[in-house]
């Protein structure tokens, strides 16, 4: 890029940053993201890559149905892809996906209003066992979450992981051809993809967001393929984490394992003639939209129905919403509730807790174990502390539509987010976004990324049952005026940093990385 173009680009990005920070500014919206993308990504195709796809096709009795994956992340990236008409490469996991995709695995998305291409990668049972359940979820996931589940390392899993990563990269290269493109990789399933893309020599700007924590260097060191994972990630122009600590842990791990020039203060790594920038970009939710949904008449009607069906009228309600994952501290949360009911009998019969847990990764033993512990804890509490209107702990083990989830958020007087370790935790932010009436309280683990931002929550450790029991009691017993003031402060934080800010900031840092990186880094500075 010519110097005057680089300067003009830098000035306009600086203007956007100032605009985003202005205290009286309205909230960043989807339109702002769209405008940003039009201005700064012009001429480059956008390619999003994730293990999970934004839409699945499934067979039902009524024919093929499309399911939209409603996580906060896919909603934002879907908006970006819809606007720019790029390509999204992901694993086709729906049982009707092949029937509706062409020979290359492509289908126009969103279904019915085509704007971009979803290119599906097909994974067989062996890939699922080794790449997904094995290396991704039995090695990297427990390694990165320090929750005392021992990671399992198998050479077969690693071989499959590399092979599947190469297939993701090949699909990207096939899609972009010789066009310049921006590639936005998601998460720990795809740590090698950037390396294959970089080595292709194509004109690509590549960013990767690591949605889970990054462990400290001593823990990371036990990974037999640590150099390969780091090498893959450093082939990106930008690697993003939710918190500064995780970004620092990553830089430490590079320092520990590789010969590279690491600048901790600037957040850069020079290696093999390439510079990667490392930063922290806390993700948010579409707080305005969740708030609007929370105030819809059908949400209020659904809330009334739920109270009636579960015998919750006149009862204070707690809620937990998670994938049934051992990192989320679900049994720990219920055990702390049990202690609260022992210590504060004034809540007996006047308090119920609803745990909504989606079954996940059930092929892995530790996931079945956490499900069993959760069920046992719920049954024990219900035996020990019966309630006239219904069970004291209501356990709902299924995936809810977001529209079904919001009435639960509205019903809850307190939401418990008790992860043993978590990258961010979007449930904490969704709950706060839904509390437009300020009637709610958040009990939050300090080991979540969200705890760095949501300081007015009742912060309590899931490793300290007594402390967490007290936090529940305080959250329920706090005087209404204080409770509302707390929730107002929490809401301000969630509204201020929403998912559109996040997307703009990550992509803006990616585009800006080119400006901050010397055109060629002297190879002798960079050893590889
Ligand atoms: P997750 O570990 O999946 O995400 P989280 O951030 O809490 O954790 O997001 C869970 C999402 O799933 C939320 O949007 C929630 O509404 C939804 N969900 C959970 N249970 C549900 C249910 N029973 N029915 C329907 N929806 C349900 C990973 C990292 C996190 C990081 C995110 C995003 O582990 O640390 O915050 O990515 O970067």
């Amino acid at each position: 890029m010519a110097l005057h173009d680089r300067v003009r680009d830098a000035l306009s990005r600086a203007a956007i940053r100032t605009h985003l920070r202005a205290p009286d500014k309205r909230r960043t919206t989807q339109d702002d993201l769209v405008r940003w993308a039009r201005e700064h990504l012009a001429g480059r195709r956008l390619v999003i890559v994730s293990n999970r796809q934004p839409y699945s096709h499934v067979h039902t009795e009524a024919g093929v149905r499309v399911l939209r994956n409603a996580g906060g992340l896919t909603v934002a990236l879907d908006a970006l892809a819809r606007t720019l008409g790029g390509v999204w490469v992901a694993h086709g996991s729906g049982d009707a996906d092949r029937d509706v995709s062409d020979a290359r695995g492509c289908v126009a998305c969103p279904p019915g209003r085509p704007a971009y291409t979803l290119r599906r990668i097909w994974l067989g049972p062996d890939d699922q066992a080794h790449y997904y359940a094995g290396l991704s979820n039995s090695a990297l996931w427990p390694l990165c979450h320090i929750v005392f589940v021992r990671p399992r390392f198998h050479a077969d899993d690693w071989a499959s992981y590399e092979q599947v990563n190469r297939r993701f990269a090949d699909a990207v290269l096939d899609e972009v051809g010789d066009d310049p493109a921006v590639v936005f990789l998601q998460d720990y399933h795809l740590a090698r993809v950037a390396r294959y893309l970089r080595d292709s020599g194509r004109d690509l700007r590549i960013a990767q967001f690591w949605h889970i924590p990054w462990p400290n260097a001593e823990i990371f060191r036990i990974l037999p393929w640590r150099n390969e994972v780091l090498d893959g990630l450093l082939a990106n122009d930008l690697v993003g984490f939710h918190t500064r600590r995780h970004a620092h842990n990553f830089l430490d791990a590079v320092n520990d394992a590789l010969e590279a020039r690491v600048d901790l203060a600037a957040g850069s790594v020079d290696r093999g003639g390439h510079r990667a920038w490392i930063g922290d970009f806390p993700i948010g939710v579409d707080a305005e939209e969740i708030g609007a949904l929370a105030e819809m008449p059908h949400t209020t009607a659904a809330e009334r129905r739920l109270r009636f069906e579960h015998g919750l009228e006149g009862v204070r309600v707690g809620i937990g919403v998670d994938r049934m994952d051992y990192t989320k501290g679900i049994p720990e949360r219920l055990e702390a509730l049990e202690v609260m009911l022992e210590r504060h009998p004034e809540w007996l019969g006047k308090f119920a807790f609803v745990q909504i847990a989606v079954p996940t990764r059930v092929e892995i033993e530790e996931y079945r174990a956490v499900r069993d512990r959760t069920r046992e804890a719920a049954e024990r509490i219900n035996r020990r502390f019966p309630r006239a209107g219904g069970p004291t702990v209501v356990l709902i083990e299924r995936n809810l539509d977001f529209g079904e989830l919001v009435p639960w958020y509205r019903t809850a007087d307190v939401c418990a987010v008790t992860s043993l370790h978590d990258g961010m935790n979007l449930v904490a932010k969704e709950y706060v976004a839904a509390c437009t009436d300020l009637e709610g309280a958040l009990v939050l683990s300090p080991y979540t990324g969200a705890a760095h931002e949501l300081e007015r929550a009742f912060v309590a450790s899931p490793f300290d049952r007594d402390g967490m029991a007290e936090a529940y009691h305080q959250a329920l017993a706090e005087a209404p005026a204080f409770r509302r003031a707390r929730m107002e402060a929490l809401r301000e934080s969630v509204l201020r940093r929403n998912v559109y800010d996040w997307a703009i900031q990550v992509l803006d840092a990616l585009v800006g990385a080119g400006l901050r990186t010397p055109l060629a880094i002297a190879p002798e500075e960079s050893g590889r």
Side-chain angles (χ1 to χ4, degrees):
M1 199 190 295
L3 183 63
H4 64 272
D5 286 337
R6 287 161 70 100
V7 170
R8 201 190 50 211
D9 234 28
L11 288 176
S12 88
R13 260 196 310 281
I16 283 185
R17 274 193 290 273
T18 310
H19 173 65
L20 289 174
R21 276 199 220 110
D24 59 342
K25 190 202 155 280
R26 63 183 177 79
R27 315 300 184 186
T28 308
T29 63
Q30 186 175 332
D31 287 344
D32 294 320
L33 172 58
V34 167
R35 217 169 299 128
W36 180 89
R38 286 216 174 102
E39 252 176 67
H40 297 281
L41 297 184
R44 279 186 181 264
R45 290 179 79 194
L46 176 71
V47 185
I48 294 166
V49 192
S50 62
N51 177 69
R52 196 144 183 226
Q53 57 182 351
Y55 298 91
S56 312
H57 289 85
V58 292
H59 286 294
T60 68
E61 283 176 3
V64 173
R65 243 188 92 197
V66 181
L67 297 180
R68 185 175 188 209
N69 175 357
L73 175 69
T74 39
V75 172
L77 295 177
D78 186 49
L80 194 64
R82 270 186 283 145
T83 313
L84 298 172
V87 183
W88 190 322
V89 180
H91 166 215
S93 55
D95 62 12
D97 281 350
R98 279 178 195 268
D99 304 334
V100 299
S101 307
D102 69 14
R104 292 189 310 141
C106 291
V107 62
C109 273
R113 286 169 291 125
Y116 66 91
T117 303
L118 172 60
R119 177 161 176 160
R120 287 168 165 151
I121 300 267
W122 310 117
L123 302 182
D126 265 11
D127 302 323
Q128 290 282 18
H130 295 291
Y131 148 77
Y132 184 73
L135 207 282
S136 297
N137 289 321
S138 297
L140 291 178
W141 179 271
L143 178 79
C144 290
H145 290 89
I146 305 166
V147 296
F148 316 109
V149 168
R150 190 173 173 154
R152 286 190 285 267
F153 303 126
H154 295 296
D156 289 357
D157 292 348
W158 176 253
S160 166
Y161 184 86
E162 283 209 292
Q163 200 249 343
V164 171
N165 272 236
R166 190 173 278 283
R167 278 159 60 196
F168 272 94
D170 287 345
V172 172
L173 295 173
D174 189 43
E175 283 300 325
V176 299
D178 291 325
D179 296 343
V182 161
V183 183
F184 191 14
L185 305 169
Q186 310 299 320
D187 232 351
Y188 64 100
H189 312 87
L190 305 175
R192 292 288 299 158
V193 174
R195 167 53 61 209
Y196 303 134
L197 295 178
R198 180 70 59 204
D199 288 350
S200 73
R202 311 276 180 91
D203 179 8
L204 304 174
R205 291 271 172 84
I206 316 168
Q208 184 146 11
F209 200 83
W210 194 264
H211 290 265
I212 64 176
W214 190 278
N216 66 45
E218 291 203 341
I219 291 190
F220 185 71
R221 194 183 290 163
I222 69 170
L223 176 68
W225 308 284
R226 59 193 170 279
N227 289 5
E228 289 83 348
V229 164
L230 292 173
D231 171 71
L233 292 173
L234 291 173
N236 285 283
D237 296 296
L238 177 75
V239 183
F241 296 90
H242 288 305
T243 71
R244 187 160 301 173
R245 178 171 302 164
H246 299 153
H248 260 120
N249 283 349
F250 176 80
L251 290 166
D252 271 350
V254 174
N255 241 341
D256 188 56
L258 299 179
E259 271 193 45
R261 174 178 283 211
V262 177
D263 185 335
L264 285 175
S268 67
V269 179
D270 291 349
R271 181 167 173 270
H274 174 73
R275 177 172 294 177
W277 292 92
I278 317 302
D280 56 300
F281 307 89
I283 200 168
V285 295
D286 189 346
E288 301 256 3
E289 187 172 317
I290 295 172
L293 187 56
E295 294 192 334
M296 302 278 234
H298 65 77
T299 303
T300 315
E303 184 189 336
R304 270 201 301 274
R305 210 167 41 243
L306 290 175
R307 281 195 180 274
F308 176 75
E309 280 169 10
H310 294 276
L312 298 172
E313 279 131 344
V315 170
R316 305 294 293 281
V317 177
I319 197 175
V321 178
D322 315 78
R323 287 181 306 98
M324 184 75 91
D325 193 305
Y326 54 77
T327 61
K328 303 293 179 185
I330 304 169
E332 289 79 357
R333 156 186 327 167
L334 295 180
E335 285 158 13
L337 270 180
E338 195 170 2
V339 174
M340 183 195 75
L341 293 170
E342 280 165 11
R343 299 247 171 102
H344 296 281
E346 64 270 32
W347 293 115
L348 293 181
K350 296 186 185 130
F351 175 76
F353 191 85
V354 180
Q355 175 63 52
I356 303 169
V358 206
T360 176
R361 306 174 194 168
V362 285
E363 63 280 18
I364 300 172
E365 186 191 324
E366 284 82 1
Y367 284 79
R368 295 193 297 274
V370 78
R371 179 196 60 195
D372 294 347
R373 273 183 68 200
T374 300
R375 288 179 182 169
E376 278 159 24
E379 281 162 20
R380 193 177 59 243
I381 294 172
N382 288 337
R383 256 194 329 270
R384 288 188 65 194
F385 305 108
R387 187 176 66 85
T392 296
V393 175
V394 179
L395 185 56
I396 301 173
E397 291 184 57
R398 70 178 178 91
N399 191 44
L400 268 57
D401 254 16
F402 199 66
E404 288 180 282
L405 206 51
V406 172
W408 275 120
Y409 284 147
R410 292 293 285 199
T411 306
D413 299 282
V414 52
C415 177
V417 172
T418 60
S419 313
L420 308 183
H421 201 192
D422 219 328
M424 173 53 69
N425 196 291
L426 293 177
V427 169
K429 293 188 172 184
E430 290 169 0
Y431 173 70
V432 168
C435 283
T436 51
D437 56 1
L438 308 182
E439 290 301 334
L442 180 64
V443 171
L444 184 59
S445 159
Y447 313 118
T448 59
H452 295 258
E453 297 170 76
L454 303 179
E455 289 161 357
R456 298 296 304 280
F458 290 89
V459 175
S461 166
F463 296 100
D464 170 11
R465 262 190 306 180
D466 295 347
M468 181 155 281
E470 244 0 84
Y472 288 139
H473 171 67
Q474 283 171 17
L476 287 166
E478 191 169 51
F482 288 109
R483 187 170 66 229
R484 291 200 192 101
R486 245 180 220 282
M487 184 49 78
E488 202 161 9
L490 292 174
R491 286 183 55 72
E492 181 50 32
S493 159
V494 168
L495 283 158
R496 204 172 50 228
R497 304 211 63 175
N498 65 30
V499 71
Y500 302 111
D501 288 300
W502 174 80
I504 292 176
Q505 281 172 6
V506 175
L507 292 174
D508 190 60
L510 172 62
V511 177
L515 294 166
R516 294 196 291 149
T517 303
L519 290 177
I521 300 164
E524 62 273 16
E525 281 186 11
S526 56
R528 193 177 147 185

